[in-house]
Amino acid sequence: MKFLPITTETSTFGWENFLALLVAVAIPGFAAFVWIAFFRKKRRRKRRRREESRREYVGNPTLAQTGGLPPVRKPENVSDQPKS
């Protein structure tokens, strides 16, 4: 039975591929990190102050302001009633 000797060429071939892949991923990753960290513009949000946003809401009047519910309608015509 013959055993093949382990040479440095076959054992380092796997490491060379691994290092090449690592460098191929690390360089663009580092470039993207530098671009995001330093060259990207920071967005400034405009915040309204509470004093400006505290406007009186003009909506529909409440039942208390209008004097309660309207009187009950008497069904004169069936066609006048809304269909549900």
Side-chain angles (χ1 to χ4, degrees), residues 63 68-73:
L63 290 174
L69 292 173
V72 179
R73 291 191 296 181

Side-chain angles (χ1 to χ4, degrees), residues 38-75:
F38 295 108
F39 297 115
R40 189 174 177 199
K41 292 181 181 179
K42 294 181 180 179
R43 295 180 183 179
R44 295 183 182 179
R45 295 182 181 178
K46 294 180 181 178
R47 296 184 181 180
R48 292 183 182 179
R49 295 183 182 182
R50 288 187 177 196
E51 297 165 1
E52 294 174 5
S53 65
R54 284 189 183 175
R55 299 176 190 158
E56 286 191 31
Y57 178 73
V58 180
N60 293 331
T62 63
L63 290 174
Q65 293 171 342
T66 59
L69 292 173
V72 179
R73 291 191 296 181
K74 296 179 182 176

Side-chain angles (χ1 to χ4, degrees), residues 3 5 7 9-10 12 15-16 18 21-23 26 29-31 36 46 49 57 60-61 64 67 69-70 74 82:
F3 291 104
T7 61
E9 293 176 11
T10 58
T12 58
W15 284 104
E16 288 174 358
F18 174 73
L21 182 65
L22 184 67
V23 168
F30 181 72
I36 289 171
K46 294 180 181 178
R49 295 183 182 182
Y57 178 73
N60 293 331
L69 292 173
K74 296 179 182 176

